Amino acid sequence: MNAHRAELARWLQLLAAKGVQDLALVNCPWPRDVPLLATLFAVTTLTRLYLGMWKLPGTAALRSASFPHLRELGLGSFEMEQGVVDSLVARSPALEMLNILGCKGLRLRLVSQSLRCMQISCSRMEDVAVVKAPCLALERLIL
């Protein structure tokens, strides 16, 4: 995939320009430590985003990210530094569903006014702290 980074960047720019709402982006085949381009985090029209087998950018690269319409976020078999999922959730004020699949050693510290359902599957979590997520407390947390 590293050989196709320029093409991927171009595709992400085109998708952003066209106002794409649903996107599933999976890096196949291995390795899963290929860095995902930060360009993705400028696609503000997304309502559903599923990412698989990537290395997510660090929290510093996500400072300018904004997903005002994102309702579903799925992350599968990825590598990242601590705090990235928390940062993505914080930048997604409409997020209702969070799916995490195949993660090791993740610590979550969730703050969300809109999150209703979180599902964590086939993962070894170090810590999950639901700091402030009033709708999640009323709805579903599936481990």
Side-chain angles (χ1 to χ4, degrees):
M1 182 53 89
N2 275 329
H4 302 285
R5 291 186 68 72
E7 291 173 79
L8 179 58
R10 177 81 174 122
W11 274 102
L12 291 174
Q13 290 170 347
L14 289 171
L15 292 171
K18 292 195 177 277
V20 70
Q21 292 181 335
D22 294 354
L23 180 61
L25 192 58
V26 179
N27 174 34
C28 284
W30 295 86
R32 68 180 187 178
D33 62 348
V34 175
L36 182 60
L37 296 174
T39 312
L40 171 68
F41 301 101
V43 184
T44 60
T45 56
L46 290 169
T47 58
R48 280 190 207 114
L49 176 61
Y50 284 84
L51 301 171
M53 293 197 241
W54 292 98
K55 180 177 182 180
L56 298 179
T59 54
L62 296 177
R63 285 199 180 109
S64 62
S66 175
F67 293 114
H69 309 290
L70 192 66
R71 291 190 333 262
E72 290 182 34
L73 175 61
L75 302 169
S77 192
F78 55 92
E79 290 190 13
M80 60 165 197
E81 67 181 44
Q82 295 296 340
V84 169
V85 174
D86 306 341
S87 185
L88 288 172
V89 170
R91 286 162 173 69
S92 306
L95 189 66
E96 295 178 355
M97 185 178 300
L98 175 63
N99 292 302
I100 297 174
L101 172 68
C103 181
K104 293 187 270 184
L106 185 62
R107 293 175 186 237
L108 290 179
R109 189 174 190 279
L110 296 173
V111 176
S112 172
Q113 294 297 317
S114 58
L115 191 62
R116 295 186 174 284
C117 180
M118 182 171 70
Q119 180 173 339
I120 302 172
S121 306
C122 302
S123 299
R124 287 191 312 243
M125 306 297 288
E126 284 190 28
D127 189 35
V128 177
V130 180
V131 177
K132 187 174 183 182
C135 295
L136 182 62
L138 299 173
E139 298 283 339
R140 291 186 277 187
L141 170 61
I142 304 165
L143 294 173

